[in-house]
Amino acid sequence: MKRYIHLLLFILLMSSPLLLSAQVVDQEVHHVVFQVTKGEVADQNKAIAQLNNILKALPNAEIEVVCHSGALPMVLKEKSQVLEGIVKLQSRGVVFAACENTMRRAKASKEDLVDGAITVPSGLAEIIIKQEQGWAYIKAGN
Amino acid sequence: MKRYIHLLLFILLMSSPLLLSAQVVDQEVHHVVFQVTKGEVADQNKAIAQLNNILKALPNAEIEVVCHSGALPMVLKEKSQVLEGIVKLQSRGVVFAACENTMRRAKASKEDLVDGAITVPSGLAEIIIKQEQGWAYIKAGN
Amino acid sequence: MKRYIHLLLFILLMSSPLLLSAQVVDQEVHHVVFQVTKGEVADQNKAIAQLNNILKALPNAEIEVVCHSGALPMVLKEKSQVLEGIVKLQSRGVVFAACENTMRRAKASKEDLVDGAITVPSGLAEIIIKQEQGWAYIKAGN
């Protein structure tokens, strides 16, 4: 009887992948430069959710999140709405990078950034150079 | 006389490409992963128009349309506003792919998708992998 | 005394790169296809600012700005809100390209374009082909 239930479960799972939680697509190393330009609470939550989805599918992806323009608040200690999400992603190797051009306009200093975040002289230049090095480009959000 | 009219027409057409309908740019095979993230009626129409424009210019382009996040309704039988446009594009080889992460959140099953649509475990992972394989990336919409 | 001030200044500059103006990242040649799809005044200003930021960081970047869809007004003589910005960027080698599909819909002719702008049969096809040729892709705006 137990055997039949196992068999049934197996068939059910195989035929209905949507009943499962998010699937691993592969374990290879992937390189992704992830651009965030918007900073409303919904945008911040969306970015974190998208990053988690990438890591569920591609657990060994190396991801750099470039926050520039309207997205700076996401990586500012005092303003970020997703601190916990950032810390969790950092613990999995995700790098958060703030654009120094944007920081200068916002009068933000390195001390204002969430712990572990790095800065890049220009967010757009960073995205260009990463693509030239073979990294895939994703523009976040809707 | 007729000859002169032909000549005139020829000169006119050559010098005013904007009087012509959309031009073929080349007949080569191109690979394009086309990301759609928004699902309002205007967004759906825009995506279909952009896909048709690509195929007018690059008639042998191989295109995969990844619908995730807010764009899922576009490929749901009951909600799509552009069913006819999708069918026409599919007949030209365009593949419509729905993100299983998004489907799970929306409680949509494979049966709910428009005929011929495929699913991918993660829309973003799909876009990353396609780029790694040399496909060009276009993020749809305004 | 002067020596100490110099030393102090040196330390200050080294430790606070954010006090400096935008940094040059490198002098290499980079190739960037920059997509603009929105045409409100804020969008036009944003695009020009982003292009200037790229050139500050990568002074030898070769940039083609593809204006299509809602972004056509940016390169129309009568409607552009950023004529001066475009002329300055053109003097640095930036190419502005208008999509002929969009021009046809807007009933705009080549004479309507800002001086020096070129046209491409399809903005999206142009972006696809440039990526295939190794150009980095940036989608402008927020």
Side-chain angles (χ1 to χ4, degrees):
Chain A
M1 178 63 190
K2 201 169 160 193
R3 205 170 142 189
Y4 285 104
I5 292 179
H6 279 172
L7 188 64
L8 193 69
L9 260 174
F10 178 78
I11 292 169
L12 201 69
L13 288 173
M14 285 303 100
S15 60
S16 309
L18 292 176
L19 295 177
L20 296 170
S21 60
Q23 284 176 283
V24 172
V25 173
D26 74 50
Q27 299 278 355
E28 302 303 310
V29 176
H30 298 270
H31 293 92
V32 184
V33 58
F34 189 89
Q35 178 187 26
V36 193
T37 57
K38 296 188 207 169
E40 298 300 312
V41 179
D43 302 317
Q44 294 189 25
N45 285 323
K46 184 83 188 171
I48 298 296
Q50 291 194 319
L51 289 163
N52 281 315
N53 276 339
I54 293 172
L55 279 178
K56 270 176 203 153
L58 309 172
N60 294 312
E62 203 175 299
I63 307 176
E64 183 171 308
V65 183
V66 177
C67 299
H68 69 104
S69 191
L72 184 61
M74 184 167 129
V75 284
L76 293 178
K77 262 181 210 154
E78 305 278 315
K79 296 192 176 168
S80 180
Q81 306 291 318
V82 288
L83 261 178
E84 202 186 334
I86 288 175
V87 170
K88 274 188 196 164
L89 285 163
Q90 284 174 326
S91 76
R92 298 201 54 190
V94 176
V95 172
F96 285 82
C99 171
E100 293 175 13
N101 286 329
T102 308
M103 290 171 69
R104 205 175 294 114
R105 281 198 309 274
K107 303 196 191 311
S109 75
K110 290 189 184 187
E111 288 68 38
D112 299 327
L113 296 178
V114 298
D115 291 340
I118 64 167
T119 69
V120 290
S122 156
L124 291 172
E126 180 74 5
I127 294 164
I128 290 162
I129 289 169
K130 289 295 191 210
Q131 284 185 69
E132 287 172 346
Q133 293 170 348
W135 291 46
Y137 166 47
I138 296 287
K139 181 158 183 175
N142 281 342
Chain B
M1 179 61 191
K2 200 171 161 191
R3 207 171 142 188
Y4 285 105
I5 292 178
H6 278 172
L7 188 64
L8 192 70
L9 260 174
F10 178 78
I11 293 169
L12 201 70
L13 288 174
M14 286 303 101
S15 59
S16 310
L18 292 177
L19 295 176
L20 296 171
S21 59
Q23 283 177 286
V24 172
V25 173
D26 75 49
Q27 300 278 354
E28 302 303 311
V29 175
H30 298 269
H31 292 92
V32 184
V33 58
F34 189 89
Q35 178 187 26
V36 194
T37 57
K38 296 187 206 168
E40 298 300 310
V41 179
D43 302 316
Q44 294 189 25
N45 285 323
K46 184 83 188 171
I48 298 296
Q50 291 193 320
L51 290 162
N52 281 316
N53 276 340
I54 293 172
L55 279 179
K56 271 176 203 152
L58 309 172
N60 294 313
E62 201 173 301
I63 307 175
E64 182 170 308
V65 183
V66 177
C67 300
H68 69 105
S69 190
L72 183 63
M74 185 167 128
V75 283
L76 292 179
K77 263 182 210 154
E78 304 279 315
K79 295 192 177 167
S80 179
Q81 305 291 318
V82 288
L83 260 177
E84 202 184 334
I86 288 175
V87 170
K88 275 187 195 163
L89 286 163
Q90 285 174 325
S91 76
R92 297 199 55 188
V94 176
V95 172
F96 286 81
C99 171
E100 292 175 14
N101 287 328
T102 308
M103 290 171 69
R104 204 176 295 115
R105 281 198 308 274
K107 303 196 192 309
S109 74
K110 290 190 183 185
E111 288 67 39
D112 299 326
L113 296 178
V114 299
D115 291 340
I118 65 168
T119 69
V120 291
S122 156
L124 291 171
E126 180 74 5
I127 294 164
I128 291 162
I129 289 170
K130 289 296 190 207
Q131 285 185 69
E132 287 172 345
Q133 293 171 347
W135 291 46
Y137 167 46
I138 295 287
K139 181 158 183 176
N142 279 343
Chain C
M1 177 62 189
K2 199 171 160 190
R3 206 172 141 187
Y4 285 104
I5 292 179
H6 278 173
L7 188 64
L8 192 70
L9 259 174
F10 178 77
I11 292 169
L12 201 70
L13 288 173
M14 286 302 100
S15 59
S16 310
L18 291 176
L19 294 176
L20 297 170
S21 60
Q23 284 176 283
V24 172
V25 173
D26 74 50
Q27 300 278 354
E28 302 304 310
V29 175
H30 297 270
H31 293 92
V32 184
V33 59
F34 188 90
Q35 179 187 26
V36 194
T37 57
K38 296 188 208 169
E40 297 301 309
V41 179
D43 303 315
Q44 294 189 26
N45 285 323
K46 183 83 187 170
I48 298 296
Q50 291 193 320
L51 289 162
N52 281 315
N53 276 339
I54 293 172
L55 280 178
K56 270 174 203 154
L58 308 172
N60 295 312
E62 202 174 300
I63 307 175
E64 182 170 308
V65 183
V66 177
C67 300
H68 70 105
S69 191
L72 184 62
M74 185 167 128
V75 283
L76 292 179
K77 262 182 209 154
E78 304 279 314
K79 295 192 177 167
S80 180
Q81 305 292 317
V82 288
L83 261 177
E84 202 184 333
I86 288 175
V87 169
K88 274 186 195 164
L89 286 163
Q90 284 174 326
S91 76
R92 297 200 54 190
V94 176
V95 172
F96 285 82
C99 171
E100 293 175 13
N101 286 329
T102 308
M103 289 171 69
R104 205 176 295 113
R105 280 199 308 275
K107 303 197 191 310
S109 73
K110 290 189 182 185
E111 288 67 39
D112 299 326
L113 295 178
V114 299
D115 291 340
I118 65 166
T119 70
V120 290
S122 155
L124 291 171
E126 181 74 4
I127 294 164
I128 291 162
I129 289 169
K130 289 296 190 209
Q131 285 185 71
E132 288 172 346
Q133 293 170 347
W135 291 47
Y137 167 47
I138 295 285
K139 180 156 184 177
N142 281 341

